[in-house]
Amino acid sequence: MIDKAIGVFDSGIGGLTVLKEIIKLLPHEDTIYLGDTARVPYGTKSAETVTRYSLEITDFLITKGIKLLVVACNTASAVALPALKERYGLPIIGVIEPGARKAVATTRTKKVGVIGTEGTIKSGAYEKAIKAIAPEIEVISKPCPLFVPLAEEGWTDNEVANAAADIYLKDIKGVDTLVLGCTHYPILKAAIASVMGKDVRLIDSGEETALEVKRVLSEKGQLRGQRGLSPTHIGKRTFYVTDTPERFAKVGLRFLGGGLEHAQRVEIP
Ligand code: DGL
């Protein structure tokens, strides 16, 4: 089990921001990433459809031999996690709970903002997760759908990105903590931070999820290097996509920051 890979899936490219954090924290672990680029976006689709896609992808990743699954997509984490946990026996980690936990630990004013796709915000998943820990916290949520194409276009630091951030974020008042509840939003951190101001802490769910992956694997004794296996092993990176790999490799490089030479196209039955 210990030398199996960590499986990570997302609706497309965005989940590479989560994978990046996992690789940074656990460089010795092999990873298998699947980006469902043929069916992206998930953020505008129904919970039922996103759940079906998530189950199909997990079936596929399990055939590749994984020891743990990370649902890097916030929308899929928000709507499909219960169905995934019910069907599969392996540890499954979504991005919502780690992000929510960090937000609760961070806020002093007990007022937290959450931004994400329409699907994530409509599900109320972050709000429920935050209130399950601290019911007294007030949560202000807002979908920011245009942030996704802006991040993929690389328009992260220009007047269009700043105008979008201005318009979306002006309703999120009085918070001291803002959860970046979408895979793409860390790419727009600078524009978001400049609108929110320096007193507002931005929570990157990807960073928190990587810490959770480490905690769970270590608890299970499945972390490489933990039981005599050489910690000098450099993690092998495998990438699968459901559409042609060219755009994924090109845009994904910006999200991952390197190490994305090859992605293989697969059919998800
Ligand atoms: N990966 C999605 C998320 O984090 C954003 C892109 C999409 O809508 O599929 O919610």
Side-chain angles (χ1 to χ4, degrees), residues 110-121:
K110 306 278 176 216
K111 210 167 166 188
V112 170
V114 176
I115 53 175
T117 64
E118 283 170 51
T120 299
I121 299 304

Side-chain angles (χ1 to χ4, degrees), residues 54-64 84 87-88 269:
S54 303
L55 291 167
E56 290 167 2
I57 290 168
T58 307
D59 278 345
F60 170 82
L61 285 173
I62 282 178
T63 67
K64 298 290 160 195
L84 292 171
R87 185 181 298 183
Y88 306 98

Side-chain angles (χ1 to χ4, degrees), residues 81-216:
L81 217 56
L84 292 171
K85 287 190 168 169
E86 197 184 305
R87 185 181 298 183
Y88 306 98
L90 84 168
I92 300 180
I93 296 175
V95 287
I96 306 276
E97 269 188 29
R101 266 203 303 272
K102 181 69 178 181
V104 171
T106 304
T107 183
R108 296 286 162 258
T109 59
K110 306 278 176 216
K111 210 167 166 188
V112 170
V114 176
I115 53 175
T117 64
E118 283 170 51
T120 299
I121 299 304
K122 195 167 146 223
S123 76
Y126 271 109
E127 183 161 355
K128 280 178 215 150
I130 290 170
K131 285 190 178 287
I133 311 168
E136 72 282 9
I137 292 181
E138 189 187 336
V139 180
I140 304 175
S141 304
K142 172 101 186 179
C144 305
L146 280 181
F147 283 170
V148 168
L150 284 173
E152 291 197 10
E153 194 60 31
W155 286 20
T156 54
D157 190 20
N158 65 12
E159 57 276 34
V160 183
N162 293 334
D166 259 338
I167 295 167
Y168 279 142
L169 303 175
K170 68 171 187 287
D171 301 338
I172 306 183
K173 290 203 187 84
V175 304
D176 68 345
T177 305
L178 179 70
V179 180
L180 306 179
C182 174
T183 48
H184 290 62
Y185 298 179
I187 306 283
L188 287 149
K189 230 178 207 168
I192 294 169
S194 84
V195 173
M196 295 309 292
K198 62 173 175 20
D199 296 332
V200 175
R201 285 279 304 275
L202 303 184
I203 305 296
D204 183 334
S205 291
E207 275 173 26
E208 302 310 317
T209 301
L211 290 166
E212 178 74 358
V213 170
K214 184 173 183 186
R215 193 185 61 75
V216 170

Side-chain angles (χ1 to χ4, degrees), residues 5 34 36 51-52 113 133 173 184 215 217 233 256:
L34 185 130
D36 195 5
T51 302
R52 177 162 54 83
I133 311 168
K173 290 203 187 84
H184 290 62
R215 193 185 61 75
L217 285 180
H233 171 86
L256 191 62

Side-chain angles (χ1 to χ4, degrees), residues 10-15 39-45 72-77 95 116-118 120 148 152 181-185:
D10 178 51
S11 55
I13 292 168
R39 302 189 290 195
V40 69
Y42 283 9
T44 49
K45 293 194 170 73
C73 179
N74 284 254
T75 311
S77 295
V95 287
T117 64
E118 283 170 51
T120 299
V148 168
E152 291 197 10
C182 174
T183 48
H184 290 62
Y185 298 179

